[in-house]
Every structure is written in C-alpha cells, then in structure tokens.
C-alpha cells in the first residue's frame, strides 16, 4: 500500500470557495477509481489558523497500478493544467487501521511528518511507531489512521481522519527515537473510498 499527497499552496487572496466548488463538482469522479483505497480531499485556510491557504489531497493506494493510472492519466493532468505540476510526495504504508468512529463521515484530518534521526536503528524506530499507531488508532473520534515511511529521506508520516474537526494535537516528542514535527490540520471536503473496505488492517507485513 502506498500513501501519496501533493500540497498546492495558494496566494493569500485566493478565493477558497473555488476549491470547495471544485471538490463539490469533481470529487465524485474518483469514487469508483480502480486501485484506490481512499482519497481525502483536504483543505486548510489562514482564517482557521493555518500558516497557508492550501489544497492538499491525500491518497491511500491499494495497488501501484491504480496510482500509475491516476498520475499518468487525465485526473492528475487536470491538476497540472489548473495549478501547475506539484511535487508528489509518497510513502510506503507501514500500518493502517480503522478507529472507533470508522462509520462516520470525516470532517477533519491531521498529518505529522517527522525525520528519523541519524544513529537510530530504523527497525527500532518503526517498532516504536507501530506501537504508538495501534494505541492512537483506538482514540475517540478516529475514523481511520495510517502510518507510513519514506526510506529515501527517512521520514515518518502519520495521517488521521477524524469524525469532527481536526483536534489541536501536541507534536510527538520522543528524543530517543523520532524527532518532533509539527501537526498540520485540515478540513475534509469529500472522501472517495472505492477500495477502503479491502485495505488490510494492522501492520503491512
């Protein structure tokens, strides 16, 4: 399973109603996209305390073929045509779980990216994060949670969908294993879930 996201940072005077309309009119187009586990159409705004106005869709791909079909097909080309070509970040998923609020339609999402420091055995860091992931997936209000890693940059990603507005979480701080990183909060405008029911739960190996 692969996680993927691109951040489209918009001018401070950009009318974010344009993004809402875009998702309202086009979001359903991926509701049955082959190979897609889920896509969360995310947005954050300065007026809500975000440092930037941003459109930042997040994907969990059940199959690499689906990700390729999207990136090299008309769906992603529409993004390129309207906003330019964004940097596409991607991570290998270490674990995925549904939370106590899994039946709810999510309204908020949180994302934290943290580097693994030099000198820490990767397996040690991942084991600690898997334990944390299992605990935090069971927190009240969690719809679903994914833990992933980019082994090129040695970066850990945690992504959580929440039934209500994204809470103001404190950054994880574990100086012996993983350095702290800011928690980004988003609104969820739409959720496409063609393959969510088939996503394997727990650690990926």
């Amino acid at each position: 399973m692969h996680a993927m996201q691109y951040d489209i940072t918009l001018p401070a005077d950009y009318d974010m109603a344009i993004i809402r309309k875009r998702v309202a009119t086009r979001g359903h187009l991926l509701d049955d996209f082959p190979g897609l586990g889920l896509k969360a159409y995310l947005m954050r705004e300065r007026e809500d305390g975000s440092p930037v106005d941003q459109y930042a869709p997040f994907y969990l791909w059940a199959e690499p073929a689906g990700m390729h079909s999207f990136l090299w097909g008309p769906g992603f080309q529409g993004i390129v045509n309207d906003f330019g070509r964004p940097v596409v970040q991607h991570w290998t998923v270490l674990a995925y779980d549904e939370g106590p609020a899994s039946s709810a339609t999510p309204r908020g999402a949180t994302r934290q990216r943290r580097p693994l420091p030099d000198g820490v055995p990767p397996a040690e860091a991942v084991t600690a994060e898997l334990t944390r992931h299992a605990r935090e997936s069971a927190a009240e209000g969690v719809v679903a949670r994914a833990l992933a890693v980019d082994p090129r940059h040695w970066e850990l990603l945690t992504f959580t969908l929440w039934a209500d507005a994204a809470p103001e979480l404190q950054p994880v701080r574990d100086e012996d294993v993983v350095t702290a990183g800011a928690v980004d909060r988003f609104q969820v405008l739409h959720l496409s879930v063609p393959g969510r029911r088939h996503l394997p739960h727990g650690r990926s190996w």
Side-chain angles (χ1 to χ4, degrees):
M1 194 190 317
H2 293 273
M4 186 182 92
Q5 188 173 37
Y6 42 89
D7 297 342
I8 299 171
T9 301
L10 301 161
D13 60 351
Y14 190 85
D15 184 358
M16 297 302 282
I18 296 172
I19 299 298
R20 291 188 174 88
K21 182 178 180 180
R22 180 189 185 92
V23 174
T25 57
R26 304 187 193 183
H28 69 281
L29 296 177
L30 266 66
D31 285 353
D32 58 358
F33 196 88
L36 177 63
L38 64 83
K39 175 181 179 179
Y41 295 76
L42 306 180
M43 181 180 79
R44 55 179 176 158
E45 299 179 275
R46 292 172 183 267
E47 66 180 40
D48 289 334
S50 169
V52 293
D53 289 326
Q54 199 171 67
Y55 177 49
F58 182 91
Y59 305 73
L60 286 178
W61 293 102
E63 301 173 5
M67 182 170 64
H68 286 298
S69 180
F70 175 77
L71 284 174
W72 320 129
F76 186 66
Q77 187 58 45
I79 289 288
V80 175
N81 291 344
D82 292 345
F83 301 105
R85 188 182 67 184
V87 172
V88 178
Q89 304 162 93
H90 58 94
W91 304 262
T92 298
V93 175
L94 300 172
Y96 169 81
D97 280 289
E98 302 271 316
S102 61
S103 62
T105 299
R107 293 181 51 218
T110 51
R111 177 191 67 189
Q112 185 176 38
R113 294 177 294 189
R114 292 171 288 142
L116 275 69
D118 294 337
V120 176
E124 178 183 328
V126 165
T127 297
E129 286 303 308
L130 286 167
T131 299
R132 192 194 314 277
H133 167 80
R135 181 178 67 251
E136 295 190 0
S137 296
E140 183 179 356
V142 171
V143 174
R145 189 177 194 271
L147 170 68
V149 64
D150 170 5
R152 182 186 177 206
H153 300 102
W154 292 114
E155 178 187 66
L156 279 169
L157 166 83
T158 55
F159 177 77
T160 308
L161 291 170
W162 299 90
D164 296 315
E168 294 189 15
L169 301 177
Q170 293 299 313
V172 172
R173 296 187 180 276
D174 189 340
E175 295 180 359
D176 295 330
V177 180
V178 181
T179 57
V183 178
D184 300 318
R185 301 164 65 240
F186 299 91
Q187 305 169 47
V188 180
L189 303 180
H190 179 71
L191 189 71
S192 293
V193 291
R196 178 181 172 188
R197 66 185 181 279
H198 300 305
L199 293 176
H201 293 189
R203 58 186 284 175
S204 298
W205 74 101

